[in-house]
Amino acid sequence: MAQSELPRRVATVVTGLLECVAFSGLIFGWTSLVFVLKRDHYFEDFCELPVNLTNNATEFTECSAQDSKLSLIFTLASFSNNFMTFGTGYIFDRLGTTVARLIAITLYAGATLLVAISSPGTGLLLFAAFPMLAVGGLLFLLTNLQVGNLFGKHRSTIITLYNGAFDSSSAIFLIIKLLYERGLKLQVSFFILCAFSIWHLIRTFFLMPKGHIPFPLPSNYTYGLSCSRRPEGFQGTKDEEVSKEDLELKQQANAPSQKAKTDQSGSPSFRSCVLSWRFFWHLIWLSVMQLWHYLFIGTLNPMLNLLAQRDQNLVSSYTNAFAITQLFGVFCAPWNGFFLDRLKKKYQQEASKKGFPESMADLHSTFPSLTVTSLLCLGFAICASIPILHLQYLTFILQVISRSFLYGGNAAFITLAFPAEHFGKIFGTVMMLSGVISLLQFPIFILIKGPLEGNPLYVNIALILVTVLSLIHPFLVSRVWRRQEKQV
């Protein structure tokens, strides 16, 4: 790597981290924003208040109709966050980074502007704004994940770091809540967020490639508008030597799965990847745990109102505590990537001694991460099901660690288990299908509020049992390695 390119690459990594932590996963700070929306009386006209209550009492009275509207907005936003990733992943793969990011900026600017001009009387604008915000944020993340290719040996660490930053960005809505409590209107905060679109544009043209960042990275690779000496993606002449590290990384990236059907180039086709058991169980692994997280975030405000007996000071305090824990997602996720990188190196050495394919070593290195993530989610689910207010502090901690490991591990697994040329499409397909399953959160919410009369015990027990299914995925991943050992 030319020394002149190092500052640009460092700037790309750092600004990418800032972009993910401040803008990509805003929608998952929904709990903090719900508190503000209720204080601003959004959807309050749907409430049927007892005759003896004044208008001021509505802030302290539970309203199922208002909660349902707000829950539906989050359901649609979280669904859009997942479902639209197949189309956006396809655009990213076919049209490159610049086009994908321009779409993201348009969605982000449009969404923040809609919230900025909204009012309790035009609350329906939120049904369009937050799905747009979710899709735009995910596109920011998707285009930034390739930045890990700039530092090949630390690829998994950077990927999981960015996913952790995606989780931490939910704390932005906490900042908006705190500013609101100090007198800054919600609409002003969203006008400020909209203005940051200019920063996204500058980064798109100066610190990101027009196409894609290849893996492994060719020598003398350049990108960005100021690259006047060589065109983007310049790989040198045929006589230039490729480093040993580049050769090793190329072998790792292109090594095909033993059982996958291959196309004419020797790499597994997209269709064979999607129809494999590996893809199916990874989808189940992600969907089950994601449903828990979405349902928890979408229903946390009503749950806190119930456990705190509608004491708004307590609800605000616990809402802040939850949002603050989300900040630590950026610190939790890299540990997952760090262990993945270390384990990958260890298993590659073992594979080399035993004569196993390197792709099998890459796959087996994900086994501990998948297992720990499932166990963390199981612990989080059990704590969330126990109706003790003080226990929710532990629930918040387990939730942020579990969620950081979940999304970081998801991206890292797809990177290691499937061909790099299909990453965008496979990532988009997994997120799209898991998004369909996430739609169950709204009927579950209605079931709890209606027939179960606000008691989620039976639903929680059922979901805990379903969460156990996520342990099948790491078991099957580990079995591939064990089978290969028996054949030697």
Side-chain angles (χ1 to χ4, degrees), residues 25-336:
L26 299 181
I27 187 62
F28 297 107
W30 181 249
T31 303
S32 298
L33 196 66
V34 163
F35 191 89
V36 175
L37 293 173
K38 285 186 173 182
R39 287 292 181 92
D40 268 357
H41 310 293
Y42 278 79
F43 303 111
E44 198 173 271
D45 52 332
F46 289 94
C47 299
E48 297 180 4
L49 296 175
V51 177
N52 62 337
L53 289 179
T54 63
N55 287 336
N56 289 334
T58 60
E59 294 182 6
F60 307 94
T61 304
E62 183 179 4
C63 174
S64 294
Q66 184 186 41
D67 287 338
S68 295
K69 291 292 182 184
L70 294 170
S71 178
L72 181 57
I73 291 173
F74 180 74
T75 299
L76 293 174
S78 56
F79 166 73
S80 301
N81 177 74
N82 289 26
F83 188 79
M84 293 302 294
T85 47
F86 178 79
T88 53
Y90 183 81
I91 290 172
F92 174 56
D93 281 347
R94 293 298 299 268
L95 301 180
T97 301
T98 299
V99 173
R101 286 183 61 82
L102 289 176
I103 293 173
I105 294 168
T106 301
L107 290 171
Y108 168 83
T112 50
L113 190 60
L114 282 176
V115 180
I117 64 174
S118 72
S119 66
T122 58
L124 292 178
L125 290 176
L126 304 186
F127 282 91
F130 287 104
M132 290 169 62
L133 187 66
V135 176
L138 189 66
L139 257 175
F140 282 141
L141 173 66
L142 184 61
T143 55
N144 277 310
L145 289 178
Q146 63 180 326
V147 172
N149 295 347
L150 294 175
F151 301 91
K153 284 189 174 182
H154 306 288
R155 191 183 184 203
S156 294
T157 302
I158 293 174
I159 289 173
T160 51
L161 178 66
Y162 279 13
N163 276 276
F166 179 84
D167 295 336
S168 295
S169 66
S170 58
I172 297 299
F173 280 172
L174 169 63
I175 296 174
I176 290 177
K177 174 181 176 292
L178 295 175
L179 291 174
Y180 175 85
E181 291 173 339
R182 284 157 179 76
L184 187 67
K185 290 184 177 180
L186 175 68
Q187 289 75 13
V188 175
S189 294
F190 273 85
F191 270 124
I192 294 172
L193 286 177
C194 185
F196 275 100
S197 300
I198 298 173
W199 183 76
H200 296 305
L201 283 171
I202 293 172
R203 186 169 182 273
T204 297
F205 291 111
F206 289 95
L207 290 176
M208 294 295 285
K210 182 178 180 181
H212 301 91
I213 299 175
F215 181 77
L217 201 68
S219 58
N220 299 322
Y221 174 76
T222 59
Y223 60 95
L225 280 183
S226 61
C227 298
S228 57
R229 292 170 300 163
R230 291 174 173 173
E232 179 182 312
F234 179 84
Q235 301 182 24
T237 64
K238 293 182 180 180
D239 294 331
E240 286 186 279
E241 294 183 359
V242 180
S243 68
K244 182 179 179 181
E245 177 185 341
D246 284 346
L247 288 173
E248 291 175 354
L249 291 172
K250 188 172 183 178
Q251 289 171 358
Q252 295 171 21
N254 296 330
S257 173
Q258 283 188 325
K259 293 187 177 182
K261 296 178 183 178
T262 57
D263 56 22
Q264 293 180 353
S265 65
S267 180
S269 66
F270 171 67
R271 182 174 181 273
S272 67
C273 290
V274 171
L275 295 179
S276 65
W277 64 262
R278 186 180 301 171
F279 177 89
F280 172 77
W281 282 110
H282 185 67
L283 174 64
I284 298 298
W285 178 85
L286 174 66
S287 300
V288 168
M289 290 187 282
Q290 181 176 256
L291 178 61
W292 252 117
H293 288 287
Y294 283 1
L295 185 64
F296 182 75
I297 294 171
T299 61
L300 182 57
N301 183 267
M303 185 188 80
L304 290 177
N305 272 293
L306 179 65
L307 296 180
Q309 298 179 341
R310 298 171 190 153
D311 182 334
Q312 293 304 290
N313 289 328
L314 271 177
V315 172
S316 178
S317 176
Y318 275 84
T319 299
N320 292 349
F322 173 71
I324 289 170
T325 58
Q326 303 306 297
L327 281 170
F328 292 92
V330 70
F331 302 109
C332 298
W335 286 104
N336 194 12

Side-chain angles (χ1 to χ4, degrees), residues 346-409:
K346 173 188 173 183
Y347 288 126
Q348 282 175 351
Q349 291 174 349
E350 288 186 24
S352 178
K353 293 177 182 178
K354 297 178 180 180
F356 294 177
E358 287 187 353
S359 58
M360 185 174 292
D362 291 347
L363 179 65
H364 190 60
S365 67
T366 64
F367 164 70
S369 171
L370 297 173
T371 305
V372 170
T373 303
S374 295
L375 293 175
L376 282 169
C377 186
L378 194 58
F380 149 65
I382 293 171
C383 288
S385 303
I386 301 174
I388 299 175
L389 185 60
H390 294 305
L391 184 62
Q392 300 316 306
Y393 287 120
L394 177 59
T395 303
F396 298 161
I397 294 171
L398 290 173
Q399 190 271 342
V400 71
I401 298 173
S402 170
R403 187 162 175 262
S404 297
F405 272 52
L406 176 64
Y407 290 108

Side-chain angles (χ1 to χ4, degrees), residues 449-470:
K449 285 289 185 178
L452 296 181
E453 299 179 349
N455 185 1
L457 177 63
Y458 296 112
V459 170
N460 288 341
I461 292 173
L463 287 175
I464 288 171
L465 293 175
V466 173
T467 304
V468 176
L469 291 175
S470 66

